[in-house]
Amino acid sequence: MRHFLRAITIALITLLSGSGIDYLTGLEASLGLDSLFRIRGQRMPPDEVVVVAMDETSEAVLGVGQDLTRWRGFHSRLIQELQCQGAALIVFDLQFIVPHPDHDPDFAAAMQAAGNVLVTECVQELRRGDEDFYGREECSESNKKPFVQKDGTQRQPLSERLVAMRTIGSTPLLTKSALDHAPFYLANDAEEPIIREGWTFLDGLAETPTLPVLTWMYYLQRTGALQGMIHPEYPFSVWLTERRRQCLSAANESPMSLPGKSALAHLIDEVICLEDRRYLDFYGPAQTLRMESYSDVYEGKVTDLSGKVVFVGKANRKFSPGHIDYFQTPFSDTQSGKVAGVEIMATQFANLLEDRSIASPMPPGLLLMTFGLVVGLLLIRLAGLFGIAASLLAAGAYAGLAVWCFSRSGVWLPVAVPLLIQLPLAWFISSLWARRDLLNERKRILAFVSRVFPKWLPFVAESPGQWRPEQGAAESTSRRDVGGVCLATDIEGYTTVAANHTAHEMWKLLNTYYQVLGRTVSSHEGIIQDVAGDSMIAVWIDLPAADLRLAACLAALEMKLAVEQFNATSSTCQLPTRIGLHEGDMTLGRLDAGEGSHFRAIGDTVNIASRIQGVNKFLGTHILASAASVAGLGNIIYRPVGGFRLVGRHEPIELVEIVGKATETDVADYAKYEQFASGLSAFRQGLWQDAVVSFQALLDSHGQDGPTNFYLNLALIYREDPPQPWDGVITLSAK
């Protein structure tokens, strides 16, 4: 029951968060729907739809240029040519507002003779009366004045919120000659320029049907599909408006259905009585629909237009589109460009003809809730990586189902909100719950152990310092003796750096620097024991000896690379770092200082590791380790650099320089290390001249090398003044 309640909580939180983000940003439409279109790709449009493009070729052939008013004289012959070929309907996506006495009579006669010509009306939308104009077309220069100045005598600006719409039709002669007329409206919103929906009715214009719906009804009538259902005594534009008003007036009642129970009758009722706009199922980018050049049709070069619905309008086919009446769609990109308004009109008609539009099978909130519940159950029932993997598989299966449904029938399942918001948010919430449960479980275990087996408390698996023993526990619970590897670091020239920066600047710099070092330690299962100023102490314990050594060496190598990258990108200063490694016994213990407690790694091993890192400044190296720290490691490349008596210690210690991984070391480096070993052997035997010759030859052949320079200079001194006695060990007098 608890698991189910948690899954419900995850589902509700992700639902509310995803829905809120989608409401504010339109994420699902702008990313989810557009991605589904691109994944699906193009699909075949109906054969009945043809676009006759008033394109660049036609402009040149007919000599009209880009002035749309000069095309009026060619429309009559175009209609006659289409009538001869038997076109079912001719739809002009053009406004004929301004009369042209020279051409209108012939144009009107051709329309009346054909009896199948539909024309569009311009929709004009104004806000703030005298400042803003919105709409698909500018209609004409004489109709751009605000309503209060054109239709009345009031001169005051309209309210900021007032939005007024009106249609401006063709000239009376052309309107009377056409079969019917209706507006076609596409909102040109600068904030959301992509067209995804098409209007079926403009209720703000007295329930007026749009031209694609009107064209669809006339096409059904001409093909005989409406026989026995509809017998209007007046134009379909009037009949559709009355029918829409009946539906809206009966909003709380089931609207009356058309006669008959056919699927077409139900579809007509849905288009008229339900929503006033629909998501368009685009067939592809610009020119996916069949498109013919206006001049080719005009000259009779296109002969297969019988029974077609021909949409005539402005559409460029070779060059980039203009600014007016061209729109972005989900397929628009820098290559395909924008889509002409006449293509969008034809697309909406084709969708009606196919009875296909983009729609969700159920309320989106229910789908998001279901997705969140499934993911929540998987994450709660299968903890950790298994839950994440299972939720990823479920999300992948859902995404595949969404793509399949969209490609097959235009069913739109939300994908952006579930995959980009709900899934990551569900992971985060489940991880918080898992962390909370883990902490509660650890507290219960610690309480049980401290109550029943108090002497075992130090051996509970934990990082030192993570848990605080209860007050009054035995003294033995405050420490733990371990064997392991200690790593010590130091920043070269730290005093100078600190003197040149403020305390706040140093805090910011060191905070970033120690994050770099800390990531390398934790990634190799190490534990950071202490950070003080410019030095850090880390230890490796509770692993087999070979694993401890390998993990510490790998961490040191990665730490060196990480510091180099940090220095390369730092704009403040450089922090070159020296590293020392030593293996031995340590005590991990709690030191009580006043009212506070501090966990530290204590012992000679820590001191030796710190001394070893200091030897780097003499040898010009970055990573030095005691020979015992690398014993048995075949996949780490290191070279002996001699025996040293460290400051404060009498016993000598053999040191090696860790130079890289076996798989990353160049063959030439092996030759250099062998030659160095030969010179070092001569040096330790007191053969000063042989050592000088060997080291000098090494520098000449391989370039600068810190340990080689160190021993060459020392050999030159000892050749003139040999140390007495000499046991092959170098005694350092400074840190």
Side-chain angles (χ1 to χ4, degrees), residues 392-438:
L392 275 174
L393 289 175
Y398 173 81
L401 176 64
V403 172
W404 182 82
C405 291
F406 187 85
S407 301
R408 181 178 176 84
S409 55
V411 173
W412 178 16
L413 303 180
V415 289
V417 170
L419 300 183
L420 300 182
I421 298 177
Q422 286 189 281
L423 186 61
L425 184 57
W427 289 345
F428 176 75
I429 296 172
S430 65
S431 66
L432 289 181
W433 257 320
R435 177 65 176 169
R436 179 175 174 272
D437 292 343
L438 179 61

Side-chain angles (χ1 to χ4, degrees), residues 4-19 362-377 398 414 417-418 422 426:
F4 185 75
L5 290 176
R6 286 189 173 184
I8 288 288
T9 303
I10 289 177
L12 287 174
I13 294 175
T14 58
L15 167 65
L16 294 175
S17 301
S19 300
M362 61 182 71
L366 182 58
L367 286 169
L368 299 181
M369 183 67 183
T370 303
F371 180 87
L373 183 60
V374 172
V375 170
L377 285 173
Y398 173 81
V417 170
Q422 286 189 281

Side-chain angles (χ1 to χ4, degrees), residues 2 7 43 121 383 423 454 638:
R2 186 186 67 172
R43 71 182 187 91
E121 296 176 310
L423 186 61
Y638 55 89

Side-chain angles (χ1 to χ4, degrees), residues 22-201:
D22 184 49
Y23 176 79
L24 295 174
T25 64
L27 176 68
E28 191 58 54
S30 61
L31 184 59
L33 180 59
D34 293 0
S35 298
L36 288 173
F37 271 114
R38 294 189 180 98
I39 293 173
R40 186 204 70 187
Q42 298 185 29
R43 71 182 187 91
M44 187 65 64
D47 292 334
E48 294 88 347
V49 181
V50 178
V51 175
V52 172
M54 299 162 61
D55 56 6
E56 307 92 325
T57 301
S58 300
E59 290 175 358
V61 171
L62 302 178
V64 294
Q66 297 184 3
D67 185 358
L68 292 179
T69 61
R70 299 178 63 185
W71 292 79
R72 188 83 60 92
F74 301 92
H75 293 334
S76 59
R77 180 176 170 182
L78 178 72
I79 293 174
Q80 294 169 2
E81 180 62 30
L82 292 173
Q83 184 181 11
C84 291
Q85 293 201 36
L89 290 172
I90 305 170
V91 184
F92 279 92
D93 183 32
L94 300 168
Q95 281 80 51
F96 307 110
I97 299 171
V98 179
H100 284 261
D102 294 336
H103 304 300
D104 285 354
D106 292 338
F107 187 21
M111 284 196 294
Q112 193 165 14
N116 63 348
V117 179
L118 302 172
V119 295
T120 187
E121 296 176 310
C122 180
V123 176
Q124 194 178 36
E125 180 181 9
L126 293 97
R127 182 177 293 156
R128 297 204 310 196
D130 60 354
E131 295 182 26
D132 297 338
F133 169 84
Y134 296 81
R136 174 169 172 255
E137 296 275 357
E138 293 184 348
C139 297
S140 73
E141 291 296 324
S142 62
N143 287 283
K144 291 177 62 176
K145 296 180 181 179
F147 292 176
V148 294
Q149 296 182 13
K150 183 172 183 64
D151 297 335
T153 58
Q154 182 180 356
R155 294 294 178 177
Q156 298 179 357
L158 296 179
S159 167
E160 170 72 18
R161 291 187 174 184
L162 179 60
V163 176
M165 297 178 66
R166 68 174 174 190
T167 59
I168 302 176
S170 303
T171 64
L173 175 61
L174 298 181
T175 299
K176 182 179 179 181
S177 302
L179 173 63
D180 211 338
H181 49 84
F184 180 59
Y185 177 43
L186 293 174
N188 199 353
D189 188 353
E191 295 181 358
E192 180 49 74
I194 299 179
I195 298 296
R196 299 185 181 90
E197 297 176 279
W199 294 88
T200 54
F201 282 83

Side-chain angles (χ1 to χ4, degrees), residues 458-491:
F459 303 98
V460 176
E462 62 187 21
S463 296
Q466 185 175 356
W467 298 105
R468 291 285 302 277
E470 294 180 356
Q471 294 182 357
E475 178 64 23
S476 60
T477 64
S478 63
R479 65 176 176 80
R480 182 183 176 198
D481 298 327
V482 297
V485 177
C486 179
L487 179 149
T489 71
D490 187 73
I491 299 175

Side-chain angles (χ1 to χ4, degrees), residues 178 207 379 499 547 672 723:
E207 296 78 41
L379 291 173
D547 294 340
K672 179 176 72 174

